[in-house]
Amino acid sequence: MTAEIIIIGDEILIGQVVDTNSADIARELDRIGISVNQILAIQDEKSDILRALKDAATRADVVVMSGGLGPTKDDVTKYTLCQFFDDIVVNNEEVLKHVEELFKKIKNTPLSDLNREQALVPSKATVLFNKYGTAPGLWMEQDKTVFIAVPGVPFEMKMMMEQQIIPKLKREFNRPFIYHKTLRTFGLGESALAERLEEWENNLPEKIKLAYLPNLGSVRLRLSGKGENEKELKEGIEKELTKLYPLIEDILSDNINEDDDITVTLNKLLISKKQFLSSAESCTGGEVAAQFTINPGASSCFKGGLVTYATHSKEELLKVPKKIIEEHSVVSGEVAEAMASNARDLFKSNYAISTTGNAGPKKGESDEEVGTVFIGIATPEKVFSKKYKFGKSREQVVKKTVNKAFELLLRELIKK
Amino acid sequence: MTAEIIIIGDEILIGQVVDTNSADIARELDRIGISVNQILAIQDEKSDILRALKDAATRADVVVMSGGLGPTKDDVTKYTLCQFFDDIVVNNEEVLKHVEELFKKIKNTPLSDLNREQALVPSKATVLFNKYGTAPGLWMEQDKTVFIAVPGVPFEMKMMMEQQIIPKLKREFNRPFIYHKTLRTFGLGESALAERLEEWENNLPEKIKLAYLPNLGSVRLRLSGKGENEKELKEGIEKELTKLYPLIEDILSDNINEDDDITVTLNKLLISKKQFLSSAESCTGGEVAAQFTINPGASSCFKGGLVTYATHSKEELLKVPKKIIEEHSVVSGEVAEAMASNARDLFKSNYAISTTGNAGPKKGESDEEVGTVFIGIATPEKVFSKKYKFGKSREQVVKKTVNKAFELLLRELIKK
């Protein structure tokens, strides 16, 4: 079974908004064995949408469209579907009632004609009820292709996919089995890794594909297989893994849950060891804490963090001795180590991460060149720091510093 | 002039990676008057890429492809371009020298055959030199359509677009003039806003389009025009703006630089008023500080922040009286206000933002239901807090809290 995704919205095509919906939709479909062959983003134009629908119908079993279902003039998805299916819109009482209630309860504003129009749906469509907004989703079928329209608001789309569309697809269609296994490696670039794995990769069975997913200092290896026989497929991949492990033993990060984001892995490890983390950040400005705490488990393994942007707050709040700052400058290994160990003590945590550096674009209160960063790690037994040069882009420096800090912490945690 | 973007990579189609490249490329092209009509993401498969190239050639003046230029087996863009252009690869000495130097200087590993292959480029291509990586970009022309291939690594792509591709496109092509003006509004939903503006919108001249860009509590209105005559177009849009302003006066956020992200606007305002901000965060876990400090100006207007995740760190580090927490619970307006005013004092700033809430999925140490958040704002004259309910998704709660906190601060700053 194959799918195509059509994203509708001018804001995507002028680059004002990054489309995250297609990745979310693709991930959900992929998980149930429906391969997404293409993602297309087009304007809110009837003619463009019609062309995309016609093209997709010749190739895909499932077409998911996102966007253009709102109440304003530039929302044309519903009426374009009517044209494509030679259909008319009819009023849906259930949707109307829901829209009325939503406006009464949450928005506390009277219902307008534009809002009332949200209850008009193509007569041939199965309505996908939208608990969280006014635009209903639509499910329509033609010549064995299913066309599904979901709202462009990410949260409404996600809930509709999870709660209605995925279960309905699973109920109504036979799908092949898809199995992914992802391993995270550190310290070797994509090409060096590819070279090391060349012979093994050349001998992979046809049903199993390997992908390299490089991302700032780490390369994830994704093995994926697709087939009818779940057992055979899983065994095939496990067999390849036993050949792969010895080849990458020295650069493999962990084998806990390699599909997880590194912060999820850290969360799980800390909780399982009943340990707590804290942070003291300068150049990363809170990004270490923010990325770490987005995981629901964070309250069981994160005590808190300090963002000491101004030098005096390093001294006064984090109690980094003025003397160390004066002797070694604020961007130094000594300061990073003092920050990490003081954060660990202040927050009463077991581990601490610290960052200090010049993220640029201008040099700060230190002589180190832009892009120089020191990361400090405090563990129950020791404190150390490492120096890095992460280039001249501010965003890149922050990203790379955060990733590297998590990697350093992970290496400490898996030692035990 | 129209453009299409082709993103190549299996990782996009299984939803493992969110494609940010297409938005970056689209934004850059749009700025110089080249409209992007579609963005297509496809697999690393020669046949798919060939089909996409053929389709795009029938419609677009410029086709930008991103991804698939790396050294591994799944990188097929270069060889597909050869097939499409009936071309062969030749060794490029300059690229080879650069790859050799890069490996010597930065990677400190010997050059492999795979890396050496990076210097092979289609003979008909103009090479776009990649200072920051090993994969060169390619510029090829056929029947008046320009095909440009850039690396998939976001930073390398961005640098190549900014430094080489955009200047070259500007030099070699006449482009129409594009003018955007974006206004940020708060407090009115998309449909209510559309209703209010209906009459004005219906009378907009044909060359000027209006788009509604809703995003968590704010709707941005984007007016855009395209034409040959820059002066006429600008005057046309300015004329429409003078009609629009009175209609939205009460909900307009500011008129500083409406295309800016709200944190950029805040940065500029604080710096111009010589004021400093600090933060004390619980449920947002550092995201307020992180989003604020990603802007280069932050060191001139941000003192620092505390992430007090554990209750005892609110008491000990932020000096929130235990009595207030016991009486009102940790998720309360009283605690939010104490956090904001203490952060302002501790960091010696003029303004402070605080957040405390239950981001979920489980209830924390408070009786308030999941999604309940209090935001505190301290200004030089006063402290206040507001209560919100932001739903059940942890990520949404964090996002909405951060956005709302910045909005509250902005409203205080523009009062003066």
Side-chain angles (χ1 to χ4, degrees), chain B residues 25-38:
Chain B
I25 296 169
R27 208 179 313 114
E28 291 290 324
L29 292 175
D30 188 70
R31 263 194 207 131
I32 60 164
I34 300 176
S35 310
V36 174
N37 282 347
Q38 73 166 42

Side-chain angles (χ1 to χ4, degrees), chain B residues 36-319:
Chain B
V36 174
N37 282 347
Q38 73 166 42
I39 298 166
L40 178 71
I42 49 174
Q43 294 172 31
D44 307 301
E45 292 284 347
K46 263 194 174 182
S47 57
D48 288 359
I49 302 174
L50 268 180
R51 170 172 64 82
L53 287 174
K54 281 178 194 159
D55 281 358
T58 64
R59 291 180 301 245
D61 303 304
V62 178
V63 179
V64 181
M65 313 161 68
S66 165
L69 289 178
T72 63
K73 278 186 83 166
D74 56 358
D75 293 305
V76 296
T77 302
K78 187 163 74 184
Y79 296 103
T80 312
L81 275 170
C82 273
Q83 197 172 329
F84 183 67
F85 278 88
D86 193 16
D87 199 4
I88 50 161
V89 291
V90 293
N91 188 58
N92 182 300
E93 279 301 324
E94 195 195 1
V95 175
L96 184 62
K97 215 178 124 199
H98 165 68
V99 173
E100 280 171 351
E101 274 170 12
L102 210 63
F103 268 76
K104 213 161 122 193
K105 216 166 50 182
I106 298 175
K107 311 214 170 183
N108 207 15
T109 49
L111 199 63
S112 70
D113 287 346
L114 272 181
N115 301 130
R116 231 178 289 273
E117 263 187 48
Q118 294 284 66
L120 296 177
V121 296
S123 75
K124 296 178 186 169
T126 303
V127 168
L128 303 168
F129 195 68
N130 182 356
K131 254 195 274 186
Y132 308 95
T134 60
L138 304 168
W139 174 294
M140 302 180 81
E141 297 186 19
Q142 187 180 69
D143 300 336
K144 288 188 189 160
T145 301
V146 180
F147 294 83
I148 302 165
V150 296
V153 179
F155 184 64
E156 296 175 19
M157 176 282 295
K158 266 191 218 173
M159 290 296 117
M160 203 176 278
M161 282 297 292
E162 267 176 47
Q163 295 171 359
Q164 298 181 68
I165 296 164
I166 294 298
K168 193 167 157 73
L169 286 169
K170 279 167 93 174
R171 273 197 311 271
E172 298 187 10
F173 297 93
N174 278 325
R175 293 146 291 108
F177 186 73
I178 286 191
Y179 189 65
H180 290 308
K181 192 89 189 183
T182 311
L183 305 175
R184 186 186 292 117
T185 67
F186 286 117
L188 213 56
E190 187 182 355
S191 58
L193 194 54
E195 209 136 347
R196 196 194 268 202
L197 302 183
E198 196 177 2
E199 201 193 318
W200 168 77
E201 192 181 349
N202 285 338
N203 291 314
L204 276 177
E206 209 175 311
K207 280 188 179 171
I208 301 177
K209 279 184 79 174
L210 175 73
Y212 296 84
L213 308 170
N215 183 19
L216 302 171
S218 95
V219 178
R220 287 196 285 185
L221 295 171
R222 196 193 62 237
L223 274 173
S224 48
K226 193 199 286 192
E228 300 305 323
N229 188 331
E230 174 172 349
K231 192 164 162 274
E232 194 187 300
L233 202 66
K234 276 194 170 172
E235 282 172 1
I237 288 197
E238 291 304 325
K239 200 175 134 198
E240 290 306 323
L241 283 174
T242 58
K243 294 185 210 158
L244 174 59
Y245 279 131
L247 300 174
I248 54 172
E249 208 174 9
D250 55 323
I251 52 169
L252 198 62
S253 79
D254 58 78
N255 55 3
I256 295 160
N257 221 322
E258 301 83 358
D259 264 339
D260 284 344
D261 187 85
I262 189 165
T263 58
V264 177
T265 304
L266 289 171
N267 255 272
K268 288 180 185 169
L269 268 172
L270 286 165
I271 291 172
S272 75
K273 292 169 190 283
K274 297 197 174 70
Q275 301 284 292
F276 280 85
L277 177 69
S278 65
S279 60
E281 303 178 62
S282 181
C283 64
T284 50
E287 191 64 30
V288 167
Q291 281 195 27
F292 195 82
T293 56
I294 199 64
N295 301 296
S299 52
S300 307
C301 58
F302 188 72
K303 291 275 190 180
L306 254 164
V307 183
T308 52
Y309 224 63
T311 297
H312 79 80
S313 66
K314 284 193 188 64
E315 294 168 13
E316 285 173 35
L317 291 168
L318 200 49
K319 316 288 182 206

Side-chain angles (χ1 to χ4, degrees), chain A residues 4 10-20 22-24 26-28 30 35-45 48 51 55 59 70-75 103 107 112-115 154-155 158-159 180 182 189-192 194-195 198 201-202 209-213 220 222 259 283-291 293-299 302-310 312-313 316-317 346-348 360-361 392-396 398, chain B residues 4 10-20 22-24 26-28 30 35-45 48 51 55 59 70-75 103 107 112-115 154-155 158-159 180 182 189-192 194-195 198 201-202 209-213 220 222 259 283-291 293-299 302-310 312-313 316-317 346-348 360-361 392-396 398 400:
Chain A
E4 299 194 6
D10 290 351
E11 67 279 16
I12 308 289
L13 294 164
I14 62 162
Q16 195 150 17
V17 171
V18 170
D19 156 43
T20 55
S22 60
D24 286 328
R27 207 180 312 115
E28 292 290 324
D30 188 71
S35 310
V36 175
N37 283 346
Q38 72 165 42
I39 298 165
L40 179 69
I42 48 174
Q43 295 171 30
D44 307 301
E45 292 283 346
D48 288 358
R51 169 172 65 82
D55 280 358
R59 292 179 301 245
T72 62
K73 278 186 83 167
D74 55 357
D75 293 305
F103 267 76
K107 310 213 170 185
S112 69
D113 288 346
L114 272 182
N115 300 130
F155 184 64
K158 266 190 217 173
M159 290 296 117
H180 291 305
T182 310
E190 188 183 356
S191 58
E195 209 137 347
E198 195 176 3
E201 192 180 349
N202 285 338
K209 278 184 81 174
L210 175 71
Y212 296 84
L213 308 170
R220 288 197 286 188
R222 195 193 62 237
D259 263 340
C283 63
T284 50
E287 192 63 30
V288 167
Q291 282 195 26
T293 56
I294 199 64
N295 302 297
S299 51
F302 188 72
K303 290 275 187 177
L306 254 164
V307 183
T308 51
Y309 223 63
H312 79 79
S313 64
E316 285 172 34
L317 292 169
L346 270 175
F347 287 101
K348 301 193 174 112
K392 289 202 165 43
S393 147
R394 186 178 177 91
E395 272 178 56
Q396 289 293 306
V398 172
Chain B
E4 298 194 7
D10 289 354
E11 67 278 17
I12 307 290
L13 293 164
I14 63 164
Q16 195 150 17
V17 171
V18 170
D19 156 41
T20 56
S22 59
D24 286 328
R27 208 179 313 114
E28 291 290 324
D30 188 70
S35 310
V36 174
N37 282 347
Q38 73 166 42
I39 298 166
L40 178 71
I42 49 174
Q43 294 172 31
D44 307 301
E45 292 284 347
D48 288 359
R51 170 172 64 82
D55 281 358
R59 291 180 301 245
T72 63
K73 278 186 83 166
D74 56 358
D75 293 305
F103 268 76
K107 311 214 170 183
S112 70
D113 287 346
L114 272 181
N115 301 130
F155 184 64
K158 266 191 218 173
M159 290 296 117
H180 290 308
T182 311
E190 187 182 355
S191 58
E195 209 136 347
E198 196 177 2
E201 192 181 349
N202 285 338
K209 279 184 79 174
L210 175 73
Y212 296 84
L213 308 170
R220 287 196 285 185
R222 196 193 62 237
D259 264 339
C283 64
T284 50
E287 191 64 30
V288 167
Q291 281 195 27
T293 56
I294 199 64
N295 301 296
S299 52
F302 188 72
K303 291 275 190 180
L306 254 164
V307 183
T308 52
Y309 224 63
H312 79 80
S313 66
E316 285 173 35
L317 291 168
L346 270 174
F347 287 101
K348 301 192 174 111
K392 289 202 165 45
S393 149
R394 185 178 177 89
E395 271 179 58
Q396 288 294 306
V398 172
K400 287 184 180 176

